[in-house]
Amino acid sequence: MTLAAHTAPWLGARELSVFIRRGFSIGDDDLEYPDIGVSAVLHPPSSRGAESAGTHEGLGSAALINLPADDEVMPLVLIAPQPVLIQNEPSYADAVEADGHRFLFQINEEGWPVVAEPQPEFVEEYLFGYGSVYFYGSADAAGLADEVVPGFLDF
């Protein structure tokens, strides 16, 4: 998944892509910082287009939409000052916060879009056990993230 430039104030003109380790499973022992099997990479914006050269045929593309703050639907991506914890256990963030990182956003599978017709180009399984992955980061003097790390998986 890629967050487009300017999606969050800490991104500025950069994008952020999230990757999952091949074979990642919630039954594995790499579910917490610093060894979690998920990574986040800040990078210059990449062009989008219909050209298929150099793309993975099994990946689709769709845009995220903004939900009103008072919407009762959990968004797939929540960019906020504080996380919405599933188990209400803030100590899960102790290790990542001890390294000086603060919460930036979360990916919550409860917000995965439900559609009437399956979309073959999209993953149709809950990779995080119908849970959330919480991302943290550190910022430079201008407030732009200079590092983004996954903190923990909560399900």
Side-chain angles (χ1 to χ4, degrees), residues 26-134:
I26 61 168
D28 295 339
D29 59 1
D30 55 352
L31 304 180
E32 294 178 10
Y33 174 87
D35 301 318
I36 189 167
V38 178
S39 63
V41 178
L42 290 162
H43 56 86
S46 54
S47 60
R48 309 297 194 269
E51 180 62 42
S52 61
T55 63
H56 186 286
E57 65 186 44
L59 296 179
S61 177
L64 298 173
I65 59 169
N66 284 325
L67 295 175
D70 61 350
D71 198 309
E72 293 183 17
V73 174
M74 174 56 89
L76 176 64
V77 177
L78 176 66
I79 300 169
Q82 298 295 321
V84 174
L85 300 173
I86 294 172
Q87 295 185 39
N88 199 25
E89 184 52 62
S91 68
Y92 291 162
D94 287 352
V96 69
E97 289 176 345
D99 276 354
H101 301 296
R102 66 174 178 85
F103 176 76
L104 298 175
F105 74 101
Q106 71 188 74
I107 299 173
N108 188 321
E109 288 182 325
E110 183 179 340
W112 188 255
V114 177
V115 294
E117 294 291 321
Q119 304 294 314
E121 68 272 22
F122 293 101
V123 175
E124 290 195 26
E125 69 178 90
Y126 294 104
L127 299 172
F128 306 127
Y130 200 69
S132 284
V133 176
Y134 302 84

Side-chain angles (χ1 to χ4, degrees), residues 2-17 41-46 48 102 104 138-140 142-148:
T2 299
L3 296 180
H6 304 292
T7 304
W10 43 264
L11 275 174
R14 296 164 303 161
E15 293 185 331
L16 180 126
S17 292
V41 178
L42 290 162
H43 56 86
S46 54
R48 309 297 194 269
R102 66 174 178 85
L104 298 175
S138 54
D140 62 17
L144 297 176
D146 52 18
E147 180 181 27
V148 177

